[in-house]
Each structure stands twice: as C-alpha cells, then as structure tokens.
Amino acid sequence: MTESLKVGVAGLGTVGASVVRIVKNKAKQLESRCGRPIEVVAVSARSRSKDRGVDLSSMEWFDDPVALAQAPGIDVFVELVGGDSGSAEDSVRAALNAGKHVVTANKALLAKHAVSLSRLAEEKGVSLNYEAAVAGGIPIVKTMRESLAGNSVSRVYGIMNGTCNYILTRMEREGLSFAECLADAQRLGYAEADPTFDIEGHDTAHKLSLLTSLAFGCEVDSDAIYVEGITSITTDDIRAADELGYRIKLLGVAQRTDTGVEQRVHPTMVPKHSAIARIDGVLNAVAVDADAVGEVVLVGPGAGGDATASSVISDIADIAREDGMPVFGQAATSLEPYTKARMRLHEGGYYIRLAVDDRPGAFATIAKHMAEKNISLQSIVQNRRDPALASDGAVDPDEPQPVILITHETTELAVREALELIAAEKVTFGAPQMLRIEKLD
Amino acid sequence: MTESLKVGVAGLGTVGASVVRIVKNKAKQLESRCGRPIEVVAVSARSRSKDRGVDLSSMEWFDDPVALAQAPGIDVFVELVGGDSGSAEDSVRAALNAGKHVVTANKALLAKHAVSLSRLAEEKGVSLNYEAAVAGGIPIVKTMRESLAGNSVSRVYGIMNGTCNYILTRMEREGLSFAECLADAQRLGYAEADPTFDIEGHDTAHKLSLLTSLAFGCEVDSDAIYVEGITSITTDDIRAADELGYRIKLLGVAQRTDTGVEQRVHPTMVPKHSAIARIDGVLNAVAVDADAVGEVVLVGPGAGGDATASSVISDIADIAREDGMPVFGQAATSLEPYTKARMRLHEGGYYIRLAVDDRPGAFATIAKHMAEKNISLQSIVQNRRDPALASDGAVDPDEPQPVILITHETTELAVREALELIAAEKVTFGAPQMLRIEKLD
C-alpha cells in the first residue's frame, strides 16, 4: 500500500472541525480518488478541552501552530488560524521553510504576503493551495489556475461576500434600511459583531486580489484596490435601480484596460437579466470573461464549515495525487509587477442620485455642468417619493426630492469633476450618491 | 529546456482548428503555465486542401487518424473526429494501445465505450481526458473529478443541449410553436439539418451518462437512461408553466435513490426562482448537489469552436503538467456496475395537461381516478385559451379546453396508471401531456 499523506490542521473552528471530520468519514473515498490514504495526524488550536464534535484522540496535539507546521510527522500543513500576521503567518512560513505543502483558507494572509509566500513555496518545491480563500466552496481557483490555461482573461468579477449580498437582497425584497438588515444579519450569524471588514468591502478586496493575480499573471497587490462598501446604499437607490432595470450588488472587479489592470470593489448596478444579478442571499458567484471560453460563471456557497472544508480537502487531494501547480498558475518569479489602472480613468456608465432643491432652473444647472464635462445623459428623472409615505408623515413633503441621473459611458474623473461643479452651485443638498454601472451582456 | 509535449489532432472542424490556432497563439502562456512547451506536431482530417484559417505547414499530415494515433512523434492524441465507432473509436483505441495520452470531445464514443476505454487507459498508465465532451467550455469534469473529492454527490443535473434550450427559450419569450423555433434554430446554425439527436434528448443523455459515473462511482451505462425529448412541448405547456411559477427546461438528471441511481432526460418544470430556470438560449449549466459543498452551479457556453477548444486545451495542459487522474475519478476497475433505479419508481410532482370534454362530471371522473391511485392534487385548473385567439378563428371555441393538473409528490407508476384509467373513460381527447416537476430549493 502507498504511504498515507499525513496532514496537520491548525485552527479547529467550524472549518477545521469539518476538515477533520470529513477526512475521517470519507477516508475510503479519498483513498480511492487519490490513490493513497489521507489522514489528519496532528492538530493545533487554542483550547484543548473544547468539544468540537470530532474525535481528536488519535491525533497529536500541538499548542503552538508553528511547532505543528514543522513537525517531522506531517506532509501537509493546513492553516485555518486566520489573520494576516502572527501565528498564521509564522506557521505558514515555518511549514514552507520545512518543505511542507501548505493549504490555507486565509485570504487576509495571502492578500498581504502572497508575493513572498509564493516565492518561498516555489523555492522549496512545495504546493501552496488556497481554493477555500476565495468564495468558499466554489472551485474558482482551480478553474482559473487550470481550466482556463489556454485563455486570456479580460475581466473577472464576482459577489464574494455573503454578508453584503444578504443585506442587499433583504433591502431589495423587503424595502428595509441598511441598518435594519445589518442588525438582522448579525442576529442570524451572517455578520460579525464588528461588521466593518465585510460591509466596507475589505473582505471582497482580499479575495479579488488573488483572482487578479490568477487572471492577469501579475503579483498580488491588494493595497492598490479601490474599495467602497455598501453602507451608503439607501432604499431610494434600491428602488431606483429596480425601476431602471438594475440590481445593486457589491462586486469585486478586476479588468484589463489600456493603462493597466483595474481592481475595484464597490456597490454596482448590474442589469437584472445578467447572471450575477440573480445571485441572492448569502450565495457567492464569480464570473470570468476570457477570449476562448467566452464567459463562465460559478455559483455556490461562499462560506460555511462544510462548504469551505470541501475546498480545503480538494486542495489536500491535489497534493495527495502530486498534482503540483504554481501558486498563481505560473512561476512566482515570472509574475509581472502589478500595473494599476487608475480609478479616475475608469470608463463606464454612472448612476447619480442628488437631493435637489425644487426651484426652477435646478435641472438646467445640473445638465449644464454634465455637458461641460462631456457627460451625455441617458436619463434624468425626478423620482418622487411614494406619496403614501409622505402623507404618513414618514417623509416630509417639503424635503428635497431625489433626482436620478443615468449617464452614458464616461470617465470617473469627468463624473467627479461635474459633481464638484454642481455642489458649488448650491442647488443640491448633502453628498451625492454615485454608483458605477457594470457593462454586462 | 524541458522537452515539449507533442500533440496530434485528428479532426479539423471548428473545434480542431481552434485547438491548433490557440495552442500556437498562446504558446508562451501555455509553456509558462505548464512548465514545458506544448506544440501540435501532426494533424489528420478528411480534406488536406480545405482552408481552415490556420497554418498547418509545419505539421505532419496523416490521411488516416489511426496512423496519427500511433505515430511515434506524438505524446497526446486529440480525437475530434466524432461518432461512436469507426475511425474515432479505432484511433482512440490505437492511441491508448500505443501508450499515448488521449483527449477527446466525443461524448457519443465515451457514452458507448467508456468502460473498456477507461480500463485500457488505466492498463497503459495514460490519461483519457474529456472535459470538452460535457457542456463544452464549462469545467464540470474537472470540478467533479477533482474539486468534489471530499463530497458525496446526491444529484447532478443540467441543461446540456443548447439547441433544446434555445428552442424552449424562444417558445417562452415569443409564444412561438416548437416547429417555428426549430426552423429558426436550423436557419441560425443552432440545430442540425437532422435535429433528432438533439431534440429527442440523446445528446443530453450521452453527457449525463459521463456525469453519472463521475458522481456515483459507477460504470457508464447510457443505454439505461430514460430519455424523452422536447417535441411534445406546446405553447399551452409553456404558458401554463409560466402561470404556475415554473419554466420548462430539458434537463439531464442523475440522482441517488433507495433502489439505485436514476438517470433521466426529459422536459422538466423547474421553479422560476431556481438558478437553472434562468439559463437562457444556447447557454449550458450544470448543478451538483453534494453533502459538503451543498450546491454548486457552473454556467457557460456548451458549444462553439473556441469554447470547446478551451476545454480540450485544459485537458492537454493537465497532461503536460503530468496531472494524471483516473478517467472517472477512481480506478476504472473499482467502479461499481451501474444499478438502475427504475423510472416507474421515480418520485416527484407532476404536471398533467388533458384535453377534456366540457361536459358535467368530467372533472369528477379525473379526480376520482387520481384519488384511487393515491395521487393528491395541488391544483386542477381549466386553462381557457385566450378568447382573442378564439375569435380570430385561430382556436375553435368548440374544441376541448386544456385542463392542467399539478400533483403533490407521487410516483411515476401511479401517474401512468391513473392516466390509463382516465383515458378509458373517454372524457379526454388525444394523448395526455405529462411533465415532471423537479424539486429544487
């Protein structure tokens, strides 16, 4: 019999416990699929006594994940500790330095240290697999790293944060405010007590940074991503989007342009008929536009213990079969430095919501400044609030009414400049809302 | 430099020409992704003189694909000849016997000969890859063979024939008849001159048979598939489905049951809100329900030269990187014989359309026989035709009107027996329409 692949798992939260349980329960199946047994022989976590619903008695216990990472008895180190530094980083570096293969679900760690870690893995001739780090159970890393080998990618985009998509879906379906939906998401365990990282788009940005490298053969540079969260989205925006034939989704988008690669995370207007518009609730989806295949879209659970464990185990199985892949699909030293396409050069349509003073000439003033910046308008609509709400006293009838502008394709810079000119005219109140419209077939 | 992987391509239709062109144009990228160059060194096709838009001058020409398959200068034989026997089969067997890796897009060949071919490949220690044989550009074979290694699949289903999906989408959107849409599909090149193979469901069945083996670890048995095409679907069915919250799709479904594995291809009522209901036109989609990951859905082009070539090249790249996988994810000799779950034991909801004589008591007679067979009805609706059509003379007002029954979950056998009892009562005209409702979350 071929020798078993010996796995050490650091971090026994929901995902870690699922990995240990599934590797055990599916031992026969995994052996049959990989040609050799896989066993978890050692684990590490904070509390040794906690009941995780899995029998750890046959496994060696390490208090220190770094010690586990270097243990002579393991072939693969699975890092599920989390965090972009500290023991997650230390243990992954220790494992690679010790010539162990590494599997991780840690997007924050890779978003920050992918360049050095991928070079280290390559130097040591070991795998660094991270299917679970992007969109949980969806096999997007394998698809991009392997299935699209003959393709040139022009754009990759997706819904990669279930918390945000849950909130936006509920706002749309039930007409609730952002705050109400966030509170519900927290109550249901879909959002953290401190939800900043999710709702401000940073989690999506981490995942996007890895897809960018896979798509465009450049080094991971998550600091260069333009990031905007969903906290400014109002029910007015959701309703206007619906009326205009769009839905609002928090997308991460990486796109090749003439000046480099755009990386952006922001609430986005997507046409209702598009595949991505139809991804509801906590689901994730990633779409890839590429020259040979056209567009492929992968939909599935972006989180959850078993779903994420499914990806971790897929990564372990690849190692068991000795299917080695460079971390980002090509030699780490051959990845080009990331060339940023500046956000102000971004081209596309825009949705703009302004609170406009209802006096004569206000529309003309707005239209004039748009024209000055060569922005051609597809529509300009005074989207009067539901009078039923006004008569309920929920809306002050004297309050400025929202005016919605939809532009034809223009540049981010032109829109920003026009909005500054309009603000100086004092015909509007408060900050304008500006959402990008993604061009999708 | 590592030695190049030498590829021979038999069959230079749209897909073959795309493979040759992409391998040449993306030579540098493929080398970077696979760690060695890939080159097409030899080709075979019927006509040597035909202009295929690619330069074949540097490639050795073979009139006979079998000779190409055995040529000492090639490492990988790519079979794009087509057909379930003849030179496709002969050349694939010859290549495997000569110890060459094989890549094929030929679902008909595999549906018929997968058992012997996969054993032969295994005996010779070579790969037999077929990503392009199922759903064209969608990486479903890799996903099932590799990404779901730690999962037990309960059901796999999909829209795998663009011709049928195009016809059903047009019927729904434009209220056109099956015949009109088929004629249009033929005119646009989406359907063959003889469309039988597509519209009767056989093409879907071939693809399904391969997914069944990947999902359930059993031998391919395409003869055991229950197959029903879309030719009986009328605009009445399409309209009734819409009113009831469904869409009609030709699905291939393989599902584990208590008595074995169901394999069925038939027009299916799918809830409008489901992911699969939203796949329009010539697009394909495959969904996998599995215990760890939950559900993943892959959407993309099911046909087309470049999209299919993308999958062929992915298969070649795996071979270049020496990522060998057993043909159906585990040793061919360890696959269990297929155990058929009989169609009459199929459980689910049913849509039944009857042309009912408009006399008193007809409804009662129908309801009585349904009750006798323990079929509980969710609804029974006389779906009167549009009176505008009737007054146009397009519909005879004296013609029997369609009555639509929707059953709660029952068995195929009960429905068939009830329909026989009803037919014997002579309160209905013509053959009843019976469509299965797929249970989707």
Side-chain angles (χ1 to χ4, degrees):
Chain A
M1 196 176 81
T2 322
E3 208 168 330
S4 69
L5 183 81
K6 295 186 175 56
V7 178
V9 177
L12 292 174
T14 329
V15 178
S18 281
V19 169
V20 171
R21 198 186 66 250
I22 295 172
V23 167
K24 191 167 192 168
N25 292 347
K26 299 280 170 74
K28 209 180 132 197
Q29 171 177 327
L30 285 168
E31 180 175 351
S32 155
R33 290 183 168 238
C34 301
R36 63 193 286 202
I38 295 174
E39 45 176 342
V40 178
V41 296
V43 292
S44 170
R46 265 190 224 146
S47 154
R48 189 161 184 171
S49 55
K50 188 176 163 189
D51 180 11
R52 298 174 172 92
V54 285
D55 178 13
L56 304 173
S57 59
S58 65
M59 297 161 201
E60 195 177 351
W61 180 274
F62 288 81
D63 288 319
D64 176 11
V66 175
L68 169 59
Q70 297 167 315
I74 69 156
D75 307 309
V76 182
F77 176 68
V78 178
E79 186 274 305
L80 301 169
V81 172
D84 66 3
S85 54
S87 61
E89 185 190 357
D90 295 344
S91 61
V92 166
R93 288 198 193 278
L96 295 174
N97 272 315
K100 318 282 190 190
H101 301 288
V102 170
V103 173
T104 179
N106 191 336
K107 51 228 120 197
L109 178 70
L110 290 175
K112 193 167 171 185
H113 299 293
V115 175
S116 65
L117 292 176
S118 59
R119 288 180 179 213
L120 179 56
E122 197 163 295
E123 206 179 287
K124 298 291 179 177
V126 294
S127 290
L128 170 56
N129 289 346
Y130 53 97
E131 184 66 85
V134 185
I138 299 177
I140 184 64
V141 173
K142 186 175 275 282
T143 295
M144 296 191 72
R145 210 157 70 156
E146 302 176 25
S147 297
L148 301 181
N151 285 264
S152 299
V153 175
S154 52
R155 177 173 59 174
V156 54
Y157 62 97
I159 294 171
M160 292 179 276
N161 184 279
T163 307
C164 290
N165 206 49
Y166 173 83
I167 291 172
L168 291 172
T169 303
R170 292 245 1 230
M171 286 178 74
E172 182 182 304
R173 285 197 188 152
E174 298 168 47
L176 300 173
S177 71
F178 173 79
E180 288 171 295
C181 295
L182 172 59
D184 261 9
Q186 287 174 313
R187 199 172 44 76
L188 293 164
Y190 295 152
E192 310 275 344
D194 177 0
T196 314
F197 195 72
D198 289 315
I199 63 177
E200 294 294 1
H202 302 299
D203 173 70
T204 301
H206 283 166
K207 294 163 181 168
L208 180 67
S209 72
L210 307 180
L211 295 184
T212 302
S213 181
L214 287 164
F216 302 110
C218 58
E219 291 176 345
V220 172
D221 186 352
S222 60
D223 292 337
I225 301 179
Y226 175 84
V227 184
E228 207 178 283
I230 62 168
T231 54
S232 76
I233 303 296
T234 69
T235 47
D236 279 343
D237 296 323
I238 301 268
R239 197 172 43 236
D242 181 55
E243 286 167 7
L244 293 160
Y246 294 95
R247 299 183 71 184
I248 299 174
K249 296 290 183 188
L250 182 74
L251 294 193
V253 184
Q255 184 171 17
R256 189 182 286 293
T257 76
D258 292 342
T259 60
V261 173
E262 272 184 13
Q263 290 189 90
R264 48 193 168 87
V265 174
H266 51 69
T268 311
M269 307 272 278
V270 292
K272 272 183 192 173
H273 63 79
S274 63
I276 209 83
R278 293 158 169 181
I279 305 303
D280 288 330
V282 295
L283 271 186
N284 278 204
V286 181
V288 189
D289 293 338
D291 58 351
V293 78
E295 178 164 281
V296 285
V297 186
L298 279 63
V299 183
D306 283 0
T308 309
S310 168
S311 287
V312 169
I313 291 168
S314 162
D315 280 346
I316 298 173
D318 279 352
I319 292 167
R321 281 194 314 266
E322 299 181 352
D323 287 356
M325 275 297 297
V327 182
F328 293 100
Q330 61 185 75
T333 46
S334 78
L335 294 168
E336 294 186 0
Y338 170 66
T339 304
K340 180 175 177 166
R342 299 194 148 197
M343 201 56 200
R344 64 181 191 184
L345 299 180
H346 170 72
E347 293 179 8
Y350 285 78
Y351 158 99
I352 296 155
R353 176 173 50 77
L354 302 166
V356 177
D357 192 357
D358 216 358
R359 65 178 180 190
F363 268 41
T365 304
I366 293 166
K368 183 188 74 181
H369 290 304
M370 288 288 173
E372 273 168 17
K373 292 295 162 189
N374 281 317
I375 299 170
S376 109
L377 293 175
Q378 187 186 305
S379 63
I380 174 164
V381 178
Q382 180 143 4
N383 206 10
R384 293 199 177 273
R385 283 210 179 77
D386 188 343
L389 287 176
S391 64
D392 270 2
V395 172
D396 175 358
D398 291 332
E399 202 187 306
Q401 298 286 311
V403 169
I404 309 292
L405 313 182
I406 299 289
T407 78
H408 284 293
E409 191 153 301
T410 177
T411 67
E412 178 102 357
L413 182 63
V415 172
R416 292 204 174 276
E417 287 180 347
L419 289 179
E420 272 175 35
L421 291 172
I422 291 165
E425 295 275 5
K426 314 230 183 271
V427 295
T428 60
F429 301 86
Q433 173 67 295
M434 182 190 96
L435 299 176
R436 293 159 197 92
I437 300 171
E438 192 70 18
K439 207 170 167 182
L440 301 172
D441 298 327
Chain B
M1 194 175 84
T2 323
E3 207 170 332
S4 69
L5 183 80
K6 295 187 174 56
V7 178
V9 177
L12 292 175
T14 329
V15 179
S18 282
V19 169
V20 171
R21 198 187 63 249
I22 295 173
V23 168
K24 189 167 193 168
N25 292 347
K26 298 282 170 75
K28 209 179 133 199
Q29 171 178 329
L30 285 168
E31 179 174 353
S32 155
R33 291 185 167 236
C34 301
R36 63 193 285 202
I38 297 174
E39 45 176 344
V40 178
V41 297
V43 293
S44 170
R46 266 190 222 143
S47 153
R48 189 159 184 173
S49 54
K50 189 176 162 187
D51 180 12
R52 299 173 173 92
V54 285
D55 178 12
L56 304 173
S57 59
S58 65
M59 299 162 200
E60 195 176 353
W61 180 274
F62 288 80
D63 288 319
D64 177 11
V66 175
L68 168 59
Q70 297 168 315
I74 70 156
D75 307 308
V76 183
F77 176 68
V78 177
E79 185 275 305
L80 301 169
V81 172
D84 65 4
S85 54
S87 61
E89 184 190 359
D90 295 344
S91 61
V92 166
R93 286 196 194 281
L96 295 174
N97 273 314
K100 319 282 190 189
H101 301 288
V102 170
V103 173
T104 178
N106 190 336
K107 50 230 122 192
L109 177 70
L110 290 175
K112 192 167 172 187
H113 299 293
V115 175
S116 65
L117 292 176
S118 58
R119 289 180 179 213
L120 179 56
E122 196 162 297
E123 207 178 287
K124 298 292 178 176
V126 294
S127 291
L128 170 54
N129 289 347
Y130 52 96
E131 185 66 85
V134 185
I138 299 177
I140 185 63
V141 172
K142 185 175 275 282
T143 294
M144 297 192 71
R145 209 157 72 155
E146 301 176 24
S147 297
L148 301 180
N151 285 263
S152 298
V153 175
S154 52
R155 176 173 59 176
V156 55
Y157 63 97
I159 294 171
M160 294 177 275
N161 184 277
T163 307
C164 290
N165 207 49
Y166 172 83
I167 291 172
L168 291 172
T169 303
R170 293 245 0 229
M171 285 178 74
E172 183 183 304
R173 285 199 189 152
E174 299 168 49
L176 300 174
S177 71
F178 173 80
E180 288 170 296
C181 295
L182 172 59
D184 262 7
Q186 288 174 312
R187 199 173 43 76
L188 293 164
Y190 295 153
E192 309 275 344
D194 178 0
T196 314
F197 195 71
D198 290 313
I199 64 178
E200 294 294 0
H202 303 298
D203 174 70
T204 301
H206 283 167
K207 294 163 181 168
L208 180 67
S209 71
L210 307 180
L211 295 183
T212 303
S213 182
L214 287 164
F216 303 109
C218 59
E219 291 175 345
V220 172
D221 186 352
S222 59
D223 292 338
I225 301 179
Y226 175 84
V227 184
E228 208 178 280
I230 62 167
T231 55
S232 75
I233 303 296
T234 68
T235 47
D236 280 343
D237 297 322
I238 300 269
R239 193 170 47 232
D242 181 56
E243 285 166 7
L244 293 160
Y246 294 95
R247 299 183 71 183
I248 300 174
K249 295 292 182 186
L250 182 74
L251 293 193
V253 185
Q255 183 172 17
R256 189 182 285 294
T257 76
D258 292 342
T259 60
V261 173
E262 272 184 14
Q263 291 188 90
R264 47 193 169 86
V265 173
H266 51 69
T268 312
M269 306 272 278
V270 292
K272 273 183 193 174
H273 63 78
S274 63
I276 208 84
R278 294 160 168 179
I279 305 303
D280 289 330
V282 294
L283 269 186
N284 278 204
V286 182
V288 189
D289 294 339
D291 57 352
V293 79
E295 178 164 282
V296 286
V297 186
L298 278 63
V299 183
D306 283 359
T308 308
S310 168
S311 287
V312 169
I313 291 168
S314 161
D315 280 347
I316 298 172
D318 280 352
I319 292 166
R321 280 193 314 267
E322 298 181 353
D323 287 357
M325 276 296 297
V327 183
F328 293 100
Q330 61 185 76
T333 46
S334 78
L335 294 167
E336 295 187 359
Y338 170 67
T339 304
K340 179 175 176 165
R342 299 195 148 196
M343 200 57 200
R344 63 182 192 184
L345 299 179
H346 170 71
E347 292 179 8
Y350 286 79
Y351 157 100
I352 296 156
R353 175 172 51 78
L354 302 166
V356 178
D357 192 357
D358 217 358
R359 63 180 181 189
F363 268 41
T365 304
I366 293 167
K368 182 187 74 179
H369 289 304
M370 288 288 174
E372 273 169 16
K373 292 294 163 189
N374 282 315
I375 299 169
S376 107
L377 293 175
Q378 187 186 305
S379 64
I380 174 165
V381 177
Q382 181 143 3
N383 206 11
R384 292 199 179 273
R385 284 211 179 77
D386 188 341
L389 288 177
S391 64
D392 270 2
V395 173
D396 175 359
D398 291 332
E399 203 187 307
Q401 297 286 311
V403 169
I404 309 291
L405 313 181
I406 299 289
T407 78
H408 284 294
E409 190 153 302
T410 178
T411 67
E412 177 104 356
L413 182 64
V415 171
R416 292 203 173 277
E417 287 180 346
L419 290 179
E420 272 175 34
L421 292 171
I422 291 165
E425 296 274 5
K426 314 230 183 275
V427 295
T428 58
F429 300 87
Q433 173 67 294
M434 183 191 95
L435 300 176
R436 294 158 198 91
I437 300 172
E438 192 71 17
K439 208 172 165 180
L440 301 174
D441 296 329

